[in-house]
Amino acid sequence: MEREAMEYDVVIVGGGPSGLSTAIRLMQLAQEKGQELTVCLVEKAAEVGGHILSGAVIEDRALAELFPDYKELGAPLNTPVVKDEVYFLTGEEKGIKTPNWMIPKPMHNDGNFIVSLGNVVRWLGEQAENLGVEIYPGFAAAEYIVEDGQIKGIITGDMGVSHDGEQTENYMPGMELRGKYTIFAEGCRGHLGKQLINEFKLDEGKDAQHYGIGIKELWDINPENHKEGLVIHGAGWPLSESNSTGGFFLYHTENNQVVVGLITDLSYSNPHVSPFDEFQRMKHHPVLKQHLEGGKRVSYGARAITKGGLNSLPKMTFPGGLIVGCDAGTLNFSKIKGTHTAMKSGMVAAEQVMAAIEGGRANDEITEFTAAFEASWAYEELHNSRNFGPAMHKFGTYLGGAFNYIHHNIFPIPVTLHDTTPDYATLKPAAESKKINYPKPDGVISFAKLDSVFIGNVNHAEDQPCHLRLKDASIPLEKNLPLYDEPAQRYCPAGVYEIVENEAGEQRFQINSQNCVHCKTCDIKDPAQNITWVTPEGAGGPNYPNM
């Protein structure tokens, strides 16, 4: 069967904040100029917003630029932040509340909003469709089209392929979606973005990119415990016990609900660390438990975040397209926020793409984007916060926090710190690392991994090729197991990877790909860089409500 091909002015991969902002701004500009423009956006989730997972406290700066009347239009920013609290947890029962004056300025949330980013994205999707953007949810961009060294579009994934690669009776080949320009906005560690960065050497001269794994739960809580608008952040225990870094959050949103989560930096060195179990035991700390007691957990999810900042930000242009948002790494980790900067990167991209199309150009490199982005407030934010992550990695939570406090609250420190070690290269041998005995979940505050995956509404068609590809199938047992006690068993927050034994004591590396929540941690942290995440059949994965 031949592939059907469709032509557009612009093709956008990814229906998150940056992709939708790109699409919306393009159509706004086209309407302002009275110009016809065709824009297509593909999203691998079954619905726009279905794969979106974030804290989230957001700034409305980019949204207000995109839609000055967003409140009148019904954007779901319903919970303004009314109070900030920051804690350093010093042990299982102990913690120190940080005085407000000691909190680095970027972490203050005056004027910000607690939101479900998934619902914000659903609303953005509605606005995009109202403006004439063609949105195709349930279609994964499986590969990009390169012709004459230029990106010419993408090919969506084939449907109806069996686990052994054979075409079934339901087989349908993917479509070619061709455009004058293609914008990649897949979110953190986008599988096409990763290939583009390598193919066009976009990260040449940059620091290694750095990541965290964010794990989040949504709870219905006792109305007596609810304090709408309260934002709590913190660091320290339990990650500090393994000399790991990261931080937690707990936000009181609307409708007697809270969201609680932990971000574990993927630069950790102890292969026995399990980010999922660190999160589960952390919830028993009194600072957090007091908010959750008497409540009920209603949803769970996990997603990697790109947190290297400006020093790790790749070149964002190449012949035929751009890479924007968290696919590139525009998150401002000093604020623990990336929605506003991701949106702004997409809006700047739209303006430059529109100018190029008006000039009769197609599939060339829009080099003007770089200067335009560097002139934006988003770039200024990233530049001002360029040392935040490297300071935490180099000096640890306390000294790194002191460095950032001085830099942001007293005077800018005129240096640029670098962290050039990729996260996959930081693990120490298991034999040299302290084993961690995690407590069993109580089923009230803490829970088992597979029970958690169940309430994430994760679903994949069973008879399809495994989307977690091993370059060398021998490495998990022959290298990773003896050296690192195969860390995939622990860094995956969804129970995808297991070492199983048969009755004869023979071991096998098992991949439960149907559990995958598309967090991309395995693609990032595997010490042999042996696992490659590729898109499963469209509409597969989690379907997050209100996350």
Side-chain angles (χ1 to χ4, degrees):
M1 297 174 72
E2 289 188 10
R3 296 189 187 279
E4 184 181 346
M6 298 178 69
E7 298 275 352
Y8 294 89
D9 290 311
V10 182
V11 174
I12 300 170
V13 181
S18 61
L20 286 165
S21 296
T22 306
I24 288 166
R25 187 69 188 126
L26 279 166
M27 298 308 284
Q28 288 176 337
L29 290 166
Q31 288 188 3
E32 289 170 14
K33 298 170 185 294
Q35 183 173 332
E36 186 176 338
L37 191 76
T38 55
V39 177
C40 166
L41 184 149
V42 293
E43 164 55 44
K44 63 183 176 67
E47 63 169 348
V48 170
H51 286 177
I52 296 293
L53 183 131
S54 182
V57 172
I58 68 169
E59 290 187 19
D60 68 349
R61 186 172 184 177
L63 182 61
E65 288 183 10
L66 198 60
F67 292 109
D69 57 345
Y70 75 81
K71 291 179 182 178
E72 291 76 15
L73 290 170
L77 277 68
N78 303 324
T79 309
V81 176
V82 298
K83 188 177 182 182
D84 262 321
E85 294 180 359
V86 176
Y87 292 84
F88 279 104
L89 305 186
T90 55
E92 196 170 343
E93 300 282 338
K94 297 179 181 179
I96 301 168
K97 185 176 179 180
T98 308
N100 194 59
W101 62 268
M102 286 186 65
I103 301 171
K105 285 181 180 178
M107 292 183 67
H108 288 261
N109 284 293
D110 301 333
N112 295 335
F113 296 86
I114 303 170
V115 301
S116 158
L117 189 60
N119 289 340
V120 172
V121 163
R122 290 179 178 94
W123 181 85
L124 286 172
E126 292 171 4
Q127 309 313 305
E129 287 191 312
N130 290 343
L131 288 164
V133 179
E134 293 184 28
I135 299 180
Y136 297 107
F139 287 86
E143 55 186 293
Y144 51 75
I145 301 168
V146 186
E147 293 172 355
D148 303 319
Q150 298 175 321
I151 300 299
K152 297 290 182 74
I154 57 103
I155 301 174
T156 63
D158 295 344
M159 309 284 275
V161 178
S162 70
H163 70 280
D164 55 6
E166 297 295 321
Q167 297 178 7
T168 70
E169 60 183 11
N170 298 318
Y171 175 73
M172 288 184 62
M175 294 175 58
E176 289 188 6
L177 300 175
R178 291 177 170 266
K180 294 173 182 175
Y181 295 101
T182 307
I183 313 300
F184 294 85
E186 305 161 283
C188 173
R189 195 73 167 194
H191 89 112
L192 295 182
K194 174 184 169 184
Q195 294 175 48
L196 288 163
I197 289 168
N198 290 334
E199 179 160 347
F200 291 100
K201 298 180 172 58
L202 303 179
D203 59 352
E204 204 167 61
K206 307 289 185 177
D207 289 359
Q209 188 57 268
H210 297 286
Y211 302 89
I213 172 62
I215 302 175
K216 173 186 172 180
E217 294 174 350
L218 175 67
W219 284 65
D220 290 331
I221 65 165
N222 188 330
E224 295 176 3
N225 295 339
H226 192 240
K227 301 172 184 177
E228 187 167 318
L230 173 62
V231 165
I232 300 174
H233 289 112
W237 184 88
L239 289 174
S240 56
E241 288 192 349
S242 60
N243 293 317
S244 304
T245 56
F248 68 84
F249 60 89
L250 187 147
Y251 307 148
H252 283 251
T253 184
E254 57 189 332
N255 301 322
N256 292 322
Q257 290 189 317
V258 300
V259 293
V260 59
L262 176 68
I263 297 170
T264 301
D265 293 343
L266 288 177
S267 56
Y268 67 81
S269 61
N270 185 334
H272 300 299
V273 165
S274 165
F276 174 87
D277 292 298
E278 296 286 341
F279 172 48
Q280 295 303 320
R281 69 169 172 166
M282 180 202 74
K283 288 183 292 174
H284 285 275
H285 193 285
V287 166
L288 297 158
K289 187 177 180 181
Q290 63 179 316
H291 300 273
L292 304 176
E293 282 184 310
K296 179 185 178 183
R297 187 178 71 149
V298 295
S299 191
Y300 166 88
R303 186 70 170 96
I305 61 172
T306 314
K307 55 181 283 292
L310 185 67
N311 300 339
S312 305
L313 189 68
K315 182 184 175 189
M316 297 165 71
T317 64
F318 45 85
L322 298 97
I323 179 171
V324 296
C326 290
D327 212 353
T330 57
L331 178 135
N332 181 348
F333 198 61
S334 71
K335 289 186 172 183
I336 325 175
K337 293 174 187 63
T339 301
H340 64 302
T341 46
M343 291 177 68
K344 184 62 175 178
S345 72
M347 292 156 67
V348 174
E351 289 160 4
Q352 298 306 311
V353 167
M354 189 66 184
I357 291 174
E358 280 189 296
R361 296 159 57 185
N363 304 114
D364 62 332
E365 183 166 356
I366 305 178
T367 55
E368 300 90 339
F369 169 84
T370 302
F373 184 63
E374 289 179 356
S376 72
W377 54 257
Y379 183 90
E380 182 183 10
E381 269 196 28
L382 295 178
H383 183 266
N384 289 342
S385 299
R386 68 193 182 281
N387 288 325
F388 189 90
M392 301 297 282
H393 289 182
K394 281 180 175 289
F395 307 135
T397 299
Y398 297 104
L399 289 177
F403 178 97
N404 286 315
Y405 172 78
I406 293 168
H407 180 78
H408 289 288
N409 290 45
I410 301 176
F411 59 85
I413 301 173
V415 298
T416 297
L417 302 176
H418 296 276
D419 182 355
T420 57
T421 304
D423 293 339
Y424 68 81
T426 58
L427 287 180
K428 295 177 180 177
E432 299 173 14
S433 304
K434 181 183 177 182
K435 278 210 165 186
I436 304 171
N437 294 314
Y438 291 107
K440 288 185 178 179
D442 65 0
V444 178
I445 298 295
S446 51
F447 303 89
K449 195 175 283 188
L450 293 184
D451 293 336
S452 301
V453 172
F454 178 77
I455 63 169
N457 298 320
V458 180
N459 183 56
H460 294 89
E462 288 189 15
D463 190 15
Q464 64 171 301
C466 179
H467 67 278
L468 302 158
R469 308 279 174 83
L470 301 181
K471 297 173 188 173
D472 183 340
S474 71
I475 283 178
L477 294 181
E478 294 180 9
K479 183 178 179 182
N480 284 354
L481 185 60
L483 266 179
Y484 306 111
D485 193 27
E486 185 43 88
Q489 302 175 90
R490 290 172 295 281
Y491 61 59
C492 173
V496 169
Y497 302 101
E498 293 182 280
I499 303 291
V500 296
E501 285 189 13
N502 62 18
E503 292 179 358
E506 297 169 329
Q507 293 180 317
R508 178 169 56 87
F509 186 62
Q510 180 166 299
I511 302 177
N512 306 308
S513 59
Q514 69 275 15
N515 290 359
C516 179
V517 294
H518 298 196
C519 74
K520 314 290 182 70
T521 303
C522 55
D523 194 294
I524 295 163
K525 188 60 177 174
D526 179 60
Q529 288 295 276
N530 187 47
I531 302 173
T532 300
W533 189 99
V534 301
T535 51
E537 195 169 285
N543 190 11
Y544 294 133
N546 302 320
M547 293 285 269

